[in-house]
Amino acid sequence: MADGPVTSRTRHLGHTTAVVAVVLVVGAGIGALVGGAVAAVGVATGVALVAASYLVSTLAMAWADSVAPRMVFGVGLGMYILKFSLFGVMLIAVNEAGWAGRIPMAWGIALGVIAWTASHVWWLVRHAHPYVPTRT
């Protein structure tokens, strides 16, 4: 299958989502061992929230870049503002509810950010970028 305008900009997603999926399962397992089912759900929720957030941002910016590269900054900034506004509202609600999984969820968020970022950087330094011109 040939790369389309968006898929050529999202080739790293298979690798990063696989790594994050492993971190989600392992993190939830450790959460279950340390704090029971609530902790497992908390860790898994945190990792999943980060993965969904990064995935949506990646797809939105890849789309913007495929339409008009000048849109990337505006779309990226808009996604950032939207995501962190939603995260803020959600975290305030979770904290006010007093849910026992809120601390494990915070650990899951941290794990998700580290896993996604590290796997993305790993992928970037090991693969060619056909849409970035090389200097000769």
Side-chain angles (χ1 to χ4, degrees):
M1 182 170 110
D3 280 348
V6 172
T7 56
S8 67
R9 292 161 173 85
T10 58
R11 294 179 300 133
H12 66 284
L13 288 179
H15 172 75
T16 53
T17 54
V19 169
V20 171
V22 169
V23 168
L24 186 146
V25 170
V26 171
I30 292 170
L33 290 173
V34 172
V38 172
V41 170
V43 171
T45 300
V47 174
L49 285 169
V50 169
S53 165
Y54 280 25
L55 180 63
V56 168
S57 292
T58 299
L59 294 174
M61 287 187 283
W63 169 82
D65 191 38
S66 73
V67 173
R70 291 184 215 188
M71 291 174 47
V72 171
F73 179 76
V75 169
L77 185 59
M79 290 300 299
Y80 182 84
I81 291 168
L82 175 67
K83 287 186 327 184
F84 284 97
S85 296
L86 291 173
F87 266 126
V89 168
M90 182 214 51
L91 290 173
I92 289 168
V94 166
N95 191 47
E96 287 180 357
W99 180 47
R102 67 186 184 274
I103 300 301
M105 185 175 79
W107 280 104
I109 289 170
L111 286 172
V113 168
I114 292 166
W116 188 286
T117 304
S119 65
H120 192 179
V121 169
W122 183 91
W123 189 92
L124 284 171
V125 299
R126 287 172 171 71
H127 291 84
H129 309 288
Y131 51 91
V132 177
T134 58
R135 295 178 187 214
T136 56

PDB file of all heavy atoms in Angstrom, residues 5-10 56-67 72 75:
ATOM      1  N   PRO A   5      -0.874  11.148   1.844  1.00  0.00           N
ATOM      2  CA  PRO A   5      -0.341  12.379   2.415  1.00  0.00           C
ATOM      3  C   PRO A   5      -0.308  12.389   3.945  1.00  0.00           C
ATOM      4  O   PRO A   5       0.561  12.997   4.537  1.00  0.00           O
ATOM      5  CB  PRO A   5      -1.262  13.465   1.880  1.00  0.00           C
ATOM      6  CG  PRO A   5      -2.499  12.769   1.443  1.00  0.00           C
ATOM      7  CD  PRO A   5      -2.090  11.366   1.086  1.00  0.00           C
ATOM      8  N   VAL A   6      -1.226  11.709   4.583  1.00  0.00           N
ATOM      9  CA  VAL A   6      -1.223  11.661   6.052  1.00  0.00           C
ATOM     10  C   VAL A   6      -0.425  10.462   6.542  1.00  0.00           C
ATOM     11  O   VAL A   6       0.378  10.578   7.469  1.00  0.00           O
ATOM     12  CB  VAL A   6      -2.662  11.638   6.616  1.00  0.00           C
ATOM     13  CG1 VAL A   6      -2.662  11.401   8.112  1.00  0.00           C
ATOM     14  CG2 VAL A   6      -3.379  12.944   6.290  1.00  0.00           C
ATOM     15  N   THR A   7      -0.586   9.307   5.922  1.00  0.00           N
ATOM     16  CA  THR A   7       0.105   8.102   6.400  1.00  0.00           C
ATOM     17  C   THR A   7       1.615   8.220   6.287  1.00  0.00           C
ATOM     18  O   THR A   7       2.327   7.641   7.099  1.00  0.00           O
ATOM     19  CB  THR A   7      -0.379   6.835   5.674  1.00  0.00           C
ATOM     20  OG1 THR A   7      -0.208   7.016   4.267  1.00  0.00           O
ATOM     21  CG2 THR A   7      -1.820   6.529   5.984  1.00  0.00           C
ATOM     22  N   SER A   8       2.115   8.984   5.325  1.00  0.00           N
ATOM     23  CA  SER A   8       3.565   9.144   5.240  1.00  0.00           C
ATOM     24  C   SER A   8       4.099   9.944   6.424  1.00  0.00           C
ATOM     25  O   SER A   8       5.278   9.870   6.736  1.00  0.00           O
ATOM     26  CB  SER A   8       3.945   9.835   3.922  1.00  0.00           C
ATOM     27  OG  SER A   8       3.475  11.166   3.902  1.00  0.00           O
ATOM     28  N   ARG A   9       3.231  10.680   7.095  1.00  0.00           N
ATOM     29  CA  ARG A   9       3.632  11.482   8.244  1.00  0.00           C
ATOM     30  C   ARG A   9       3.341  10.786   9.575  1.00  0.00           C
ATOM     31  O   ARG A   9       3.614  11.348  10.637  1.00  0.00           O
ATOM     32  CB  ARG A   9       2.902  12.828   8.209  1.00  0.00           C
ATOM     33  CG  ARG A   9       3.344  13.711   7.066  1.00  0.00           C
ATOM     34  CD  ARG A   9       2.325  14.790   6.779  1.00  0.00           C
ATOM     35  NE  ARG A   9       2.776  15.752   5.804  1.00  0.00           N
ATOM     36  CZ  ARG A   9       2.681  15.596   4.493  1.00  0.00           C
ATOM     37  NH1 ARG A   9       2.164  14.495   3.988  1.00  0.00           N
ATOM     38  NH2 ARG A   9       3.104  16.538   3.680  1.00  0.00           N
ATOM     39  N   THR A  10       2.761   9.615   9.506  1.00  0.00           N
ATOM     40  CA  THR A  10       2.383   8.915  10.740  1.00  0.00           C
ATOM     41  C   THR A  10       2.951   7.492  10.790  1.00  0.00           C
ATOM     42  O   THR A  10       2.427   6.649  11.501  1.00  0.00           O
ATOM     43  CB  THR A  10       0.850   8.863  10.871  1.00  0.00           C
ATOM     44  OG1 THR A  10       0.298   8.210   9.726  1.00  0.00           O
ATOM     45  CG2 THR A  10       0.263  10.253  11.015  1.00  0.00           C
ATOM     46  N   VAL A  56      -4.259  11.671  18.775  1.00  0.00           N
ATOM     47  CA  VAL A  56      -5.123  12.680  18.162  1.00  0.00           C
ATOM     48  C   VAL A  56      -4.295  13.866  17.672  1.00  0.00           C
ATOM     49  O   VAL A  56      -4.501  14.365  16.564  1.00  0.00           O
ATOM     50  CB  VAL A  56      -6.229  13.124  19.150  1.00  0.00           C
ATOM     51  CG1 VAL A  56      -6.949  14.352  18.655  1.00  0.00           C
ATOM     52  CG2 VAL A  56      -7.210  11.986  19.384  1.00  0.00           C
ATOM     53  N   SER A  57      -3.338  14.309  18.470  1.00  0.00           N
ATOM     54  CA  SER A  57      -2.476  15.415  18.052  1.00  0.00           C
ATOM     55  C   SER A  57      -1.668  15.063  16.815  1.00  0.00           C
ATOM     56  O   SER A  57      -1.546  15.865  15.884  1.00  0.00           O
ATOM     57  CB  SER A  57      -1.502  15.796  19.169  1.00  0.00           C
ATOM     58  OG  SER A  57      -2.174  16.359  20.239  1.00  0.00           O
ATOM     59  N   THR A  58      -1.115  13.870  16.789  1.00  0.00           N
ATOM     60  CA  THR A  58      -0.320  13.434  15.649  1.00  0.00           C
ATOM     61  C   THR A  58      -1.162  13.419  14.378  1.00  0.00           C
ATOM     62  O   THR A  58      -0.735  13.926  13.338  1.00  0.00           O
ATOM     63  CB  THR A  58       0.257  12.027  15.896  1.00  0.00           C
ATOM     64  OG1 THR A  58       1.112  12.083  17.039  1.00  0.00           O
ATOM     65  CG2 THR A  58       1.030  11.514  14.702  1.00  0.00           C
ATOM     66  N   LEU A  59      -2.353  12.851  14.470  1.00  0.00           N
ATOM     67  CA  LEU A  59      -3.216  12.779  13.288  1.00  0.00           C
ATOM     68  C   LEU A  59      -3.663  14.165  12.830  1.00  0.00           C
ATOM     69  O   LEU A  59      -3.688  14.445  11.626  1.00  0.00           O
ATOM     70  CB  LEU A  59      -4.417  11.886  13.574  1.00  0.00           C
ATOM     71  CG  LEU A  59      -4.089  10.408  13.798  1.00  0.00           C
ATOM     72  CD1 LEU A  59      -5.338   9.642  14.216  1.00  0.00           C
ATOM     73  CD2 LEU A  59      -3.449   9.789  12.563  1.00  0.00           C
ATOM     74  N   ALA A  60      -3.992  15.042  13.769  1.00  0.00           N
ATOM     75  CA  ALA A  60      -4.417  16.393  13.404  1.00  0.00           C
ATOM     76  C   ALA A  60      -3.286  17.164  12.732  1.00  0.00           C
ATOM     77  O   ALA A  60      -3.496  17.829  11.705  1.00  0.00           O
ATOM     78  CB  ALA A  60      -4.915  17.144  14.640  1.00  0.00           C
ATOM     79  N   MET A  61      -2.087  17.070  13.279  1.00  0.00           N
ATOM     80  CA  MET A  61      -0.973  17.810  12.689  1.00  0.00           C
ATOM     81  C   MET A  61      -0.518  17.196  11.373  1.00  0.00           C
ATOM     82  O   MET A  61      -0.113  17.919  10.455  1.00  0.00           O
ATOM     83  CB  MET A  61       0.169  17.928  13.682  1.00  0.00           C
ATOM     84  CG  MET A  61      -0.169  18.916  14.794  1.00  0.00           C
ATOM     85  SD  MET A  61       1.172  19.271  15.917  1.00  0.00           S
ATOM     86  CE  MET A  61       1.175  17.806  16.923  1.00  0.00           C
ATOM     87  N   ALA A  62      -0.606  15.874  11.243  1.00  0.00           N
ATOM     88  CA  ALA A  62      -0.277  15.245   9.962  1.00  0.00           C
ATOM     89  C   ALA A  62      -1.263  15.678   8.885  1.00  0.00           C
ATOM     90  O   ALA A  62      -0.884  15.959   7.749  1.00  0.00           O
ATOM     91  CB  ALA A  62      -0.277  13.720  10.106  1.00  0.00           C
ATOM     92  N   TRP A  63      -2.532  15.736   9.264  1.00  0.00           N
ATOM     93  CA  TRP A  63      -3.537  16.222   8.313  1.00  0.00           C
ATOM     94  C   TRP A  63      -3.241  17.661   7.913  1.00  0.00           C
ATOM     95  O   TRP A  63      -3.250  18.011   6.736  1.00  0.00           O
ATOM     96  CB  TRP A  63      -4.944  16.122   8.919  1.00  0.00           C
ATOM     97  CG  TRP A  63      -5.945  16.853   8.094  1.00  0.00           C
ATOM     98  CD1 TRP A  63      -6.560  16.403   6.968  1.00  0.00           C
ATOM     99  CD2 TRP A  63      -6.407  18.195   8.300  1.00  0.00           C
ATOM    100  NE1 TRP A  63      -7.388  17.375   6.456  1.00  0.00           N
ATOM    101  CE2 TRP A  63      -7.304  18.488   7.260  1.00  0.00           C
ATOM    102  CE3 TRP A  63      -6.142  19.162   9.267  1.00  0.00           C
ATOM    103  CZ2 TRP A  63      -7.949  19.717   7.160  1.00  0.00           C
ATOM    104  CZ3 TRP A  63      -6.779  20.380   9.164  1.00  0.00           C
ATOM    105  CH2 TRP A  63      -7.674  20.642   8.121  1.00  0.00           C
ATOM    106  N   ALA A  64      -2.973  18.520   8.898  1.00  0.00           N
ATOM    107  CA  ALA A  64      -2.698  19.930   8.609  1.00  0.00           C
ATOM    108  C   ALA A  64      -1.482  20.057   7.696  1.00  0.00           C
ATOM    109  O   ALA A  64      -1.504  20.845   6.739  1.00  0.00           O
ATOM    110  CB  ALA A  64      -2.465  20.699   9.902  1.00  0.00           C
ATOM    111  N   ASP A  65      -0.444  19.285   7.954  1.00  0.00           N
ATOM    112  CA  ASP A  65       0.759  19.339   7.128  1.00  0.00           C
ATOM    113  C   ASP A  65       0.484  18.871   5.707  1.00  0.00           C
ATOM    114  O   ASP A  65       1.054  19.387   4.755  1.00  0.00           O
ATOM    115  CB  ASP A  65       1.866  18.505   7.764  1.00  0.00           C
ATOM    116  CG  ASP A  65       3.212  18.721   7.109  1.00  0.00           C
ATOM    117  OD1 ASP A  65       3.518  19.875   6.731  1.00  0.00           O
ATOM    118  OD2 ASP A  65       3.974  17.747   6.994  1.00  0.00           O
ATOM    119  N   SER A  66      -0.421  17.911   5.569  1.00  0.00           N
ATOM    120  CA  SER A  66      -0.739  17.414   4.223  1.00  0.00           C
ATOM    121  C   SER A  66      -1.583  18.409   3.437  1.00  0.00           C
ATOM    122  O   SER A  66      -1.558  18.420   2.216  1.00  0.00           O
ATOM    123  CB  SER A  66      -1.464  16.066   4.300  1.00  0.00           C
ATOM    124  OG  SER A  66      -2.791  16.229   4.761  1.00  0.00           O
ATOM    125  N   VAL A  67      -2.339  19.251   4.137  1.00  0.00           N
ATOM    126  CA  VAL A  67      -3.188  20.253   3.483  1.00  0.00           C
ATOM    127  C   VAL A  67      -2.379  21.505   3.173  1.00  0.00           C
ATOM    128  O   VAL A  67      -2.368  21.988   2.038  1.00  0.00           O
ATOM    129  CB  VAL A  67      -4.408  20.597   4.371  1.00  0.00           C
ATOM    130  CG1 VAL A  67      -5.195  21.760   3.798  1.00  0.00           C
ATOM    131  CG2 VAL A  67      -5.291  19.377   4.539  1.00  0.00           C
ATOM    132  N   VAL A  72       0.250  23.834  10.411  1.00  0.00           N
ATOM    133  CA  VAL A  72       0.728  22.940  11.476  1.00  0.00           C
ATOM    134  C   VAL A  72       0.823  23.661  12.817  1.00  0.00           C
ATOM    135  O   VAL A  72       0.379  23.134  13.838  1.00  0.00           O
ATOM    136  CB  VAL A  72       2.072  22.287  11.095  1.00  0.00           C
ATOM    137  CG1 VAL A  72       2.683  21.533  12.273  1.00  0.00           C
ATOM    138  CG2 VAL A  72       1.890  21.356   9.916  1.00  0.00           C
ATOM    139  N   VAL A  75      -2.790  24.413  14.163  1.00  0.00           N
ATOM    140  CA  VAL A  75      -3.473  23.181  14.553  1.00  0.00           C
ATOM    141  C   VAL A  75      -2.800  22.575  15.787  1.00  0.00           C
ATOM    142  O   VAL A  75      -3.479  22.153  16.731  1.00  0.00           O
ATOM    143  CB  VAL A  75      -3.504  22.167  13.385  1.00  0.00           C
ATOM    144  CG1 VAL A  75      -3.960  20.796  13.844  1.00  0.00           C
ATOM    145  CG2 VAL A  75      -4.404  22.685  12.270  1.00  0.00           C
TER     146      VAL A  75
END
